[in-house]
Amino acid sequence: MMMARRNIYSVLGFYATAFDRALEVEKKLPAEGPSFVKLMQISHVVRVFWLGVPVSFCREHLPNHDVTIVLEDEDGHRFDTNYLARKQGLSGGWNRFATRHHLKVGDAVVFQLVEPTRFKVYILRESKFSTTDGALSLLSLDTSMENNMPAEKGEDTSDEDAKSREDPEVTKVVTNKASDDDSNDLFSEAAANGGVGSPDPDPDFDAVKTFRTFKMAIDSSVIDHKLVQDRLLWTYYKLCGDRKAFLHRRLPKHINLTLAAGVIVETASIAEGIRSYPSSCSSCEDLAAWKKTLESFELLGMDVGFIRERLDELLFLLDARSSDDHPPEGYEEVKLERARAAEKVRALESKMASLKDALKDMEMEMEEIAEKRRGHALLQLAAAPW
């Protein structure tokens, strides 16, 4: 039994991130339904409880109007969620699903569309061996055991041969597996350093001349670009370029690289949302939620204070626009002039109504005079001599 469990863990790569395991699950799903993978972030499972769906997926597979979408978990339990077509994401109902399934930051979720408005959902835990992991291991166990059979005597098993079997184009990032309390350790370390996660000096950003040479690294470990969408990666590159520094340079050394990638993705998404405001569908509540997210990132060590300050300015302007306690200079004069103009309009409308009534009376009087004239003419004609 212990050997079988060890084989299962070996197949899965138990120390792989939840996102990596989710990608493996997605590969093994039946081909009849499209799918996507989401790495759980703070805005998904802690605050806001909003789950954005990839734009391309929405355009190709989901309705272009608001609709109820059903999420079905691995046990067959179904949860209704509200899909907002304009915002391209799940709002009402997602909170209940995330809470009921105890989703945490760093977990990964696979969504497969099995009906026009129903997803089959598979959850991969960042620090636990889940039911989905077990199913994946059973699918792969035979192949893995075959590949892991001991070599026959005389067979060359040198490191060079092992390296030659790896794909040279793919950069493998090895991360240290954190303990169950590491998430608390990250924030406690950041708080102890006054919001700065690492006392190391800033990396030399001057070496980054083009987007091709832009690499995200933490303590010599490179974050795989595949964890960040190309559009968001470009946005983050531009943000770093404006600051002439890596925004993630002070994140804790031992942070999980997948979690760090999630922070970068969320930062770039918020920056895009701010730049598109107010033409986007974002509300004042969205701005407030973004501010809270950035504040938590600052505690973690992310250099996002300049983005948060922009949000503070936007929220200040919105508050000033909605408050009458302190109107801007000249506002009262214009307001008084407008009241006078409105009074003149009302007076003119009243005068116009009186003129319309007088006109109607004149028309009735004219009709009576014409009627009397016609009657007199008839009497004259009838009494005239033959």
Side-chain angles (χ1 to χ4, degrees):
M1 182 66 178
M2 184 63 69
M3 181 62 69
R5 181 178 294 270
R6 189 176 296 121
N7 287 335
I8 289 176
Y9 279 37
S10 175
V11 171
L12 284 172
F14 185 65
Y15 291 98
T17 66
F19 188 82
D20 292 334
R21 288 180 279 133
L23 293 178
E24 289 299 319
V25 169
E26 187 183 27
K27 290 178 183 178
K28 298 181 182 299
L29 291 177
E32 57 264 18
S35 61
F36 64 91
V37 176
K38 291 289 291 187
L39 178 67
M40 294 296 99
Q41 302 169 17
I42 293 176
S43 60
H44 300 150
V45 296
V46 178
R47 304 187 187 95
V48 185
F49 286 95
W50 163 263
L51 184 81
V53 179
V55 175
S56 58
F57 192 96
C58 293
R59 291 174 179 172
E60 295 176 12
H61 306 294
L62 296 181
N64 58 3
H65 56 84
D66 294 354
V67 68
T68 298
I69 285 185
V70 177
L71 304 181
E72 181 180 343
D73 62 19
E74 298 158 77
D75 297 325
H77 300 140
R78 298 188 177 188
F79 299 80
D80 291 342
T81 61
N82 297 333
Y83 172 69
L84 304 182
R86 288 191 306 166
K87 292 190 176 183
Q88 298 172 324
L90 302 181
S91 180
W94 167 251
N95 186 344
R96 179 169 174 263
F97 180 90
T99 303
R100 182 69 63 85
H101 293 85
H102 307 289
L103 292 178
K104 306 294 183 184
V105 174
D107 290 346
V109 182
V110 183
F111 296 83
Q112 184 184 29
L113 191 65
V114 294
E115 291 181 5
T117 58
R118 181 168 67 89
F119 280 102
K120 186 70 176 178
V121 181
Y122 305 90
I123 299 172
L124 285 301
R125 307 290 181 181
E126 176 64 16
S127 59
K128 293 181 181 180
F129 185 80
S130 68
T131 303
T132 301
D133 288 327
L136 173 63
S137 68
L138 292 176
L139 289 172
S140 308
L141 184 57
D142 293 340
T143 303
S144 177
M145 292 181 66
E146 182 176 317
N147 293 337
N148 290 320
M149 289 295 290
E152 297 292 337
K153 290 184 178 180
E155 184 178 349
D156 187 6
T157 59
S158 64
D159 291 340
E160 288 75 16
D161 289 340
K163 291 180 180 180
S164 67
R165 290 193 294 269
E166 295 181 356
D167 184 357
E169 300 297 325
V170 179
T171 302
K172 302 292 184 181
V173 179
V174 179
T175 62
N176 295 326
K177 185 64 179 179
S179 66
D180 292 341
D181 295 328
D182 274 352
S183 58
N184 294 330
D185 291 342
L186 299 182
F187 289 97
S188 61
E189 177 185 342
N193 288 289
V196 178
S198 173
D200 292 344
D202 296 348
D204 186 9
F205 192 80
D206 294 337
V208 180
K209 301 299 183 182
T210 65
F211 182 63
R212 288 179 174 271
T213 61
F214 180 69
K215 296 186 182 299
M216 302 174 293
I218 297 177
D219 193 29
S220 302
S221 296
V222 179
I223 300 174
D224 194 341
H225 280 194
K226 294 180 180 179
L227 296 176
V228 185
Q229 296 178 13
D230 291 341
R231 173 179 58 82
L232 295 176
L233 185 62
W234 172 257
T235 299
Y236 184 67
Y237 165 71
K238 296 295 290 183
L239 288 172
C240 293
D242 292 340
R243 301 289 290 178
K244 294 182 172 54
F246 294 102
L247 304 188
H248 61 273
R249 63 189 182 277
R250 295 192 181 99
L251 288 177
K253 290 182 180 181
H254 58 282
I255 190 173
N256 183 288
L257 294 189
T258 304
L259 176 59
V263 172
I264 290 172
V265 166
E266 191 73 7
T267 299
S269 298
I270 291 175
E272 288 185 350
I274 294 174
R275 295 303 297 269
S276 62
Y277 189 84
S279 59
S280 66
C281 300
S282 302
S283 64
C284 184
E285 290 75 13
D286 292 330
L287 297 183
W290 292 345
K291 179 183 176 180
K292 291 181 179 179
T293 299
L294 293 178
E295 288 173 346
S296 65
F297 287 173
E298 283 188 280
L299 288 176
L300 195 59
M302 196 73 173
D303 180 16
V304 291
F306 67 103
I307 305 178
R308 180 185 48 74
E309 290 174 0
R310 179 70 60 84
L311 276 174
D312 287 336
E313 293 173 1
L314 289 173
L315 289 170
F316 174 78
L317 291 176
L318 288 173
D319 290 340
R321 187 178 68 178
S322 61
S323 175
D324 293 331
D325 296 338
H326 303 284
E329 184 178 357
Y331 178 84
E332 291 296 336
E333 290 78 2
V334 175
K335 183 179 180 180
L336 182 59
E337 189 65 28
R338 179 183 180 278
R340 291 170 180 168
E343 184 64 29
K344 290 180 180 180
V345 169
R346 286 192 292 271
L348 290 173
E349 289 176 345
S350 178
K351 188 175 182 179
M352 183 176 292
S354 299
L355 291 174
K356 287 182 178 180
D357 291 339
L359 183 60
K360 184 179 291 186
D361 292 340
M362 292 177 186
E363 290 176 348
M364 293 177 64
E365 188 176 354
M366 290 172 61
E367 185 66 26
E368 290 176 359
I369 293 172
E371 188 65 29
K372 290 179 180 179
R373 183 176 181 180
R374 285 193 295 271
H376 183 69
L378 289 173
L379 290 174
Q380 288 183 340
L381 180 58
W386 299 106

